[in-house]
Amino acid sequence: MAETTDWHDWHSPYADDTSALSRRLRIVQRHIDDWLDQRPESTLRVVSVCAGQGHDLIGVLTRRSDADRVQAELIEKDPRNATAARKRAAAAGLGGITVRCTDAGDFAAYRTAVPADLVLLAGVLGNISDQNARATITSLPRLCAQGATVIWTRTRRPPDLTPVVRRWFAGVDFTEQAFDAPPDELFSVGVHLFRGRPDSPPPSGRIFTFAR
């Protein structure tokens, strides 16, 4: 199915602090902050899948004194969003962030980004087919370093797939660390820790294709 969403305009609700998207962002950012607080390493690798304008990771690193520990690749297909993310990172002096304008649905996009200690999967699982969502989760051991964390989001709009999504994570050796599901909103944010053995990604091949 061809994409019909304008993914640049999709970001406009971030301008409203009371929007559901802004509320979701603050939860994702809190989990990124918590992850950084729990990881003392001098260098940490992060990959953001379909990173958009980088509000989540860049927003956190902008206010942290230890931002230089993070080496991150933000993978974003829309050139307008990629440009916006580069500008935000540059304005914040975040030299460890690289924005790659390419298709995050192809393993080839991760050639220099993995294995990652943190995989950000925000805004992905709700915009692809259920079959693609399962394939993406199954593919995560190919993107993750030992002990990596995955932060993901997904709508709970009926039919709510999140119980199944959480089982899919468990099926590939992830342990749930948190699951936020505000009762007055439809979004959810999950945090899973990889307990399995990392695998090497293939040089190319489809992981997922956006469906809207």
Side-chain angles (χ1 to χ4, degrees):
M1 186 182 299
E3 291 181 29
T4 58
T5 301
D6 186 316
W7 292 108
H8 184 266
D9 290 349
W10 179 90
H11 288 73
S12 59
Y14 282 125
D16 177 3
D17 286 342
T18 66
S19 70
L21 199 58
S22 290
R23 289 185 64 186
R24 190 187 79 175
L25 173 64
R26 288 191 289 271
I27 294 173
V28 171
Q29 288 179 329
R30 172 169 55 82
H31 286 303
I32 296 172
D33 263 320
D34 290 346
W35 176 78
L36 285 166
D37 290 342
Q38 295 163 13
R39 296 290 299 255
E41 295 94 326
S42 59
T43 302
L44 292 164
R45 298 184 70 183
V46 179
V47 62
S48 182
V49 181
C50 300
Q53 298 177 9
H55 287 274
D56 42 21
L57 183 63
I58 294 173
V60 170
L61 296 181
T62 297
R63 59 178 182 254
R64 291 189 65 106
S65 61
D66 61 347
D68 60 351
R69 293 195 297 145
V70 174
Q71 298 294 313
E73 290 201 25
L74 278 55
I75 301 174
E76 170 56 37
K77 186 177 180 180
D78 189 300
R80 298 166 299 170
N81 287 335
T83 296
R86 288 190 189 101
K87 289 180 177 178
R88 287 171 58 83
L94 300 175
I97 288 184
T98 299
V99 180
R100 300 190 62 218
C101 187
T102 190
D103 182 2
D106 193 311
F107 275 115
Y110 302 90
R111 185 177 62 257
T112 60
V114 298
D117 301 302
L118 174 65
V119 178
L120 296 176
L121 201 62
V124 178
L125 298 180
N127 293 303
I128 57 181
S129 70
D130 294 355
Q131 181 179 3
N132 272 201
R134 184 171 192 174
T136 300
I137 293 167
T138 302
S139 297
L140 287 171
R142 296 172 177 255
L143 306 183
C144 288
Q146 187 75 43
T149 294
V150 176
I151 301 175
W152 57 275
T153 67
R154 165 78 196 203
T155 181
R156 287 176 288 118
R157 185 178 299 109
D160 180 7
L161 191 69
T162 58
V164 178
V165 166
R166 295 159 80 183
R167 290 198 296 270
W168 287 341
F169 270 98
V172 285
D173 296 323
F174 282 87
T175 301
E176 186 169 280
Q177 304 294 293
F179 182 72
D180 297 287
D184 59 337
E185 296 285 2
L186 289 175
F187 69 76
S188 57
V189 179
V191 181
H192 276 76
L193 178 65
F194 184 46
R195 299 289 193 182
R197 178 178 298 177
D199 196 5
S200 298
S204 63
R206 295 306 302 172
I207 307 172
F208 60 82
T209 299
F210 263 34
R212 69 180 184 89

